[in-house]
Amino acid sequence: MRWVAYMPLRAGSKSIPDKNVRPLAGRPLFAWALEAALDSGAFDEVYAGSDSPSIRAAVAERFGDRVGLIERSAATCTDTASSEAAMAEFAAQVPADVLCLVQATSPLTAPEDFRAARERFIAEELDSLLSAVPCKRFFWTAAGEPVNYDPSRRPRRQDFPGWLMENGAFYFTRARLLAATGVRLSGRIGVHRMAAETALEIDEPADWALAEQLLRRHRLAPRFGAIRALIVDVDGTLTDGGMYYGPDGEALKKFHTRDAHGLKRIAERGVRVGVVSAEDSPAVAARMRKLGIEDYYPGVADKLPLVADLARGWGLSLAEIGYVGDDTGDRECVAAVGTGCCPADAVAEVRARAA
């Protein structure tokens, strides 16, 4: 069985211009669900497709060769084109036994959702699968007719089994059935239940702020809460990246006082703070003394072995380490630790691996 995930993206969003590439909680919108698909391990390959060269470039910049790219036709990117049309266009180019349609507008999708859905698909010998959330609401038609309950015997909420509401996060379908029927759901259909908050789909501007709140609470906060030690690069991270030379040739660096305050607050919360730099700068050494940071390691060209040694010495796993860096020398560290972060202007290879 060949499992392939596909996220169709288009440039013509009208309610939120450039929606798919607009930053949401620090990442482009498309990156949340696409990264979850990659991290799930549920797929042999993950693809994205767009009619926009700039969107395809943004995906490539974020994920490199981990995500395949296809060019979508204009016919599948109109306001009236169906998702099935995009799926069929993709299936004609990339072979798959099971195709997963991943929706960028559902950023709360987690890797475990894809894993659990795949397990259900296999265990129940399904032909297609949709994601949904529990819903305990009573529905009526516009004509005043009850849809899902008897008003004369109104059940208590706790006794009402409720319904499952399709949340549009993702769909699995056997490619041969998609080709035969032209629809994403056919044959033996299963349902993967997701958390209630994943009912949110980003279609209107009002959805954006709520999505950021939910992502910070449910996706980012647990990761940051697991950090027991934070290791920070210097140039471009604790400084503005510039190097200033006086008349005698000494190098000066510009630090920001708010970074110092932030590191102090982190240490006060019991998180160990370390600083590592490829350079051995007297200016940085003076700043570390001022801040009282004892775990300062200058002149380190290969940083990951040092980070691993520090973790072992502190009795921590790499999953409990946070790392902040901005340049290619930080790439491996950002990718290896539990929570890798970077400034907004970090190089593309680092941004692609950051939380």
Side-chain angles (χ1 to χ4, degrees):
M1 293 282 286
R2 178 177 165 80
W3 298 71
V4 179
Y6 175 54
M7 176 182 285
L9 303 165
R10 69 185 184 98
S13 174
K14 291 183 173 58
S15 59
I16 305 176
D18 298 321
K19 174 175 65 177
N20 287 316
V21 294
R22 179 177 170 179
L24 175 70
R27 304 180 191 178
L29 172 61
F30 70 77
W32 288 98
L34 203 56
E35 185 169 284
L38 286 166
D39 290 346
S40 71
F43 305 106
D44 297 298
E45 288 187 294
V46 176
Y47 281 81
S50 179
D51 56 327
S52 165
S54 63
I55 291 179
R56 295 196 300 273
V59 175
E61 180 183 19
R62 181 83 193 183
F63 294 108
D65 60 5
R66 294 194 296 158
V67 173
L69 292 170
I70 70 162
E71 181 177 354
R72 293 178 62 184
S73 66
T76 68
C77 295
T78 65
D79 292 337
T80 58
S82 67
S83 295
E84 278 84 356
M87 295 172 71
E89 179 181 62
F90 173 76
Q93 300 178 59
V94 179
D97 294 302
V98 178
L99 174 61
C100 176
L101 174 69
V102 183
Q103 304 276 46
T105 50
S106 296
L108 291 161
T109 306
E112 51 266 29
D113 287 310
F114 291 114
R115 287 193 291 267
R118 172 174 167 149
E119 290 173 2
R120 178 180 295 276
F121 195 96
I122 294 172
E124 298 180 7
E125 299 181 344
L126 300 176
D127 294 311
S128 54
L129 175 145
L130 62 128
S131 59
V133 296
C135 178
K136 290 195 173 188
R137 298 287 186 179
F138 298 129
F139 293 98
W140 292 72
T141 68
E145 296 292 331
V147 173
N148 63 341
Y149 85 112
D150 181 354
S152 67
R153 291 182 290 180
R154 184 184 182 93
R156 298 185 307 163
R157 181 177 174 82
Q158 58 267 40
D159 297 328
F160 180 53
W163 296 75
L164 292 174
M165 181 182 74
E166 198 169 322
N167 68 351
F170 61 87
Y171 301 84
F172 284 11
T173 185
R174 293 187 187 273
R176 59 176 176 78
L177 286 179
L178 174 67
T181 65
V183 297
R184 74 186 86 175
L185 296 172
S186 63
R188 182 176 173 82
I189 303 172
V191 181
H192 167 67
R193 297 191 184 195
M194 295 177 63
E197 63 269 12
T198 64
L200 175 69
E201 292 184 85
I202 299 181
D203 293 318
E204 300 297 332
D207 301 329
W208 203 269
L210 178 56
E212 286 202 322
Q213 292 177 14
L214 291 171
L215 283 167
R216 295 186 191 282
R217 183 187 311 158
H218 295 285
R219 297 287 296 276
L220 295 179
R223 294 181 67 178
F224 292 139
I227 295 175
R228 297 292 175 265
L230 178 67
I231 300 174
V232 184
D233 168 53
V234 177
D235 290 321
T237 303
L238 289 179
T239 77
D240 63 356
M243 300 187 69
Y244 307 88
Y245 285 87
D248 297 324
E250 71 274 15
L252 305 176
K253 297 178 185 291
K254 181 180 177 182
F255 295 88
H256 203 298
T257 186
R258 290 177 185 168
D259 290 331
H261 182 62
L263 292 174
K264 179 181 178 182
R265 291 188 62 186
I266 289 171
E268 288 173 348
R269 296 187 180 189
V271 176
R272 189 156 187 166
V273 175
V275 175
V276 58
S277 176
E279 289 193 3
D280 189 354
S281 166
V284 177
R287 184 59 174 164
M288 295 303 104
R289 288 194 297 270
K290 174 71 173 178
L291 299 181
I293 294 177
E294 297 180 358
D295 288 307
Y296 167 52
Y297 303 92
V300 181
D302 190 359
K303 297 177 181 178
L304 184 55
L306 172 67
V307 170
D309 287 343
L310 290 176
R312 284 191 292 269
W314 295 337
L316 302 174
S317 67
L318 284 177
E320 296 173 296
I321 301 290
Y323 187 95
V324 187
D326 75 306
D327 211 342
T328 53
D330 304 302
R331 179 179 51 199
E332 286 75 17
C333 294
V334 168
V337 300
T339 305
C341 302
C342 69
D345 61 352
V347 299
E349 300 98 306
V350 173
R351 290 202 308 272
R353 290 161 173 79

